[in-house]
Structures are given as structure tokens and as C-alpha cells.
Amino acid sequence: MLGLVGHLIGLVAASLGFSDYSGQGFSFYNFSLSELGQYGHSELAVIFNGGLFFGSLSLALFALFALQNSDDPWVLTSFLILVLSLLALACVGLFPVNVYHLHILGIEYYFYFAAMSVAAYLIYLLRRRDRPKRFAMGGSLLLTGLTLGLLLTFILMAHTDDGVVASGTWFYHDLVMVEPRPEFRCPVIMEWAAVFSFMGWLLSLVWTQREGARLAQP
């Protein structure tokens, strides 16, 4: 929970204090995650990057400790890959977009590993539909499927050019550097939707473990 709260505090603080070069405030419709953590562009970038870094490390520790409760090989696989995804997300905070190539690698591997982790967890849910699932809670199948769909959609957009980004421009470069900035940018909206859905999925995992520990107490 500490990791998720760290992410939330950094996001809220940075978005409220955001002002770009032209004085425009932050919007989830046309400013990407990278721009919130861009030094010289976002006034509270250090808070956002710090929350992203320490929050992701806290969640990675949760995933590692939760491995001892694994009741299925697919859960084990999901949580091991989840650790890699969260470490990549920590690198996104450690290396902001000012350190362009390392930042972009962090974002790419975060989405790749996140999609693989969620996919393994979905297989776990489908294989054990009629049996008790230690890592599942009400609505988890729907949330897991939605999260996987959003992650894969964003990854697909990053590898194709169907008019959502400028033709001939590298996707991530266009995601951050596009000018003039339109009011609504489909790749940015999809990025935030995938990130928020993934964090909601993580919350469901954390909450499941919290409730399991509470019920196990005499």
C-alpha cells in the first residue's frame, strides 16, 4: 500500500504544480507520463520521479514477499515478471526523459513485462475458475482482462503508425515532443488508461493479500 500511495502522492503533486514552457497546466488528455517527470518542464518533477522510484521499489518488495504464498506455477511466473516490470518502472523515475534513451528503455520494458505479468495472472484465473484462488478477489477476472487489453493496445500503438502519431516519427519521441499540442492525443490517453488500470490491478493484488493475512489471524 505504501508503494501505491507513493505513486499517488507524486502524481497528484506533480500534476497540480505542472506548467509547461508556454504556461499550460497539466491534462491527462495531452501530456504524457514522461513529461510529468521532465526536469525543466515540470516544476515538481523531483516529487513525481521520487514517488515513481520509491513506490515501484516498495511494490517490487511486495511482489517478492508474496511469492511465498503462491499456490500455482502461473502465479509464481506472474509475480516474478511483475518484479521486473516494477524495477523497469523504478528506472523510469530514476532516469527521467532528460536522460532520453535510458528513460525510453525503462518505459518500453515496463509495458512489456507488465503485459506478460498480467497475461500469466489471467491464465491462472482461467485455469482455476472452479477452485479457490488465494490471489483472486471479486471482479479480478474482469479487471485483469481489461488491464491486459489496455497494455497490449498501447504496445501495439507503439509498433504501428495508423495515423495516431506523425508518419515517419518515432512513437515515443512524438509522444513527448509533439508541437503544436492538440487538445486530445490518443496515445497519451491510452498510456494513462493502461497505467491506471495496471495500478488498479496491483491494488487488487495487495488488497487480496491484506485480507488473506487478516483472515488468517486467530
Side-chain angles (χ1 to χ4, degrees), residues 59-153:
L59 287 166
L61 287 175
F62 156 75
L64 288 172
F65 286 125
L67 289 173
Q68 62 186 324
N69 295 327
S70 300
D71 58 349
D72 187 275
W74 285 104
V75 169
L76 184 67
T77 301
S78 176
F79 272 72
L80 286 174
I81 301 175
L82 178 59
V83 172
L84 298 177
S85 174
L86 292 167
L87 290 178
L89 187 58
C91 288
V92 172
L94 182 63
F95 304 109
V97 72
N98 306 77
V99 191
Y100 186 75
H101 294 289
L102 292 177
H103 179 80
I104 296 307
L105 283 176
I107 287 183
E108 287 185 310
Y109 283 109
Y110 159 65
F111 277 101
Y112 295 150
F113 287 135
M116 293 167 61
S117 176
V118 176
Y121 188 78
L122 182 62
I123 294 173
Y124 160 70
L125 293 177
L126 293 174
R127 288 180 69 247
R128 297 177 62 92
R129 280 183 296 179
D130 301 324
R131 289 176 286 173
K133 297 178 284 294
R134 185 176 298 176
F135 281 89
M137 61 182 295
S140 59
L141 183 60
L142 177 62
L143 178 58
T144 302
L146 174 64
T147 302
L148 180 60
L150 291 172
L151 288 169
L152 290 178
T153 300

Side-chain angles (χ1 to χ4, degrees), residues 2-204:
L2 178 64
L4 291 169
V5 170
H7 281 170
L8 181 62
I9 291 175
L11 175 63
V12 172
S15 60
L16 291 177
F18 182 86
S19 179
D20 72 351
Y21 300 120
S22 61
Q24 183 178 355
F26 179 77
S27 171
F28 289 104
Y29 298 124
N30 57 15
F31 285 101
S32 66
L33 180 149
S34 298
E35 289 169 295
L36 267 185
Q38 183 177 2
Y39 294 115
H41 187 69
S42 174
E43 294 182 2
L44 299 178
V46 65
I47 296 178
F48 178 74
N49 290 328
L52 204 61
F53 179 72
F54 291 107
S56 297
L57 291 183
S58 296
L59 287 166
L61 287 175
F62 156 75
L64 288 172
F65 286 125
L67 289 173
Q68 62 186 324
N69 295 327
S70 300
D71 58 349
D72 187 275
W74 285 104
V75 169
L76 184 67
T77 301
S78 176
F79 272 72
L80 286 174
I81 301 175
L82 178 59
V83 172
L84 298 177
S85 174
L86 292 167
L87 290 178
L89 187 58
C91 288
V92 172
L94 182 63
F95 304 109
V97 72
N98 306 77
V99 191
Y100 186 75
H101 294 289
L102 292 177
H103 179 80
I104 296 307
L105 283 176
I107 287 183
E108 287 185 310
Y109 283 109
Y110 159 65
F111 277 101
Y112 295 150
F113 287 135
M116 293 167 61
S117 176
V118 176
Y121 188 78
L122 182 62
I123 294 173
Y124 160 70
L125 293 177
L126 293 174
R127 288 180 69 247
R128 297 177 62 92
R129 280 183 296 179
D130 301 324
R131 289 176 286 173
K133 297 178 284 294
R134 185 176 298 176
F135 281 89
M137 61 182 295
S140 59
L141 183 60
L142 177 62
L143 178 58
T144 302
L146 174 64
T147 302
L148 180 60
L150 291 172
L151 288 169
L152 290 178
T153 300
F154 182 77
I155 291 172
L156 182 63
M157 291 173 68
H159 289 276
T160 59
D161 182 10
D162 295 325
V164 295
V165 295
S167 179
T169 304
W170 193 22
F171 177 82
Y172 292 106
H173 183 275
D174 183 76
L175 190 65
V176 177
M177 305 297 183
V178 62
E179 292 292 346
R181 190 176 299 273
E183 185 176 358
F184 297 98
R185 300 171 61 204
C186 186
V188 169
I189 296 173
M190 186 56 62
E191 180 188 38
W192 282 115
V195 169
F196 284 140
S197 180
F198 181 73
M199 292 304 163
W201 176 72
L202 276 176
L203 176 61
S204 74

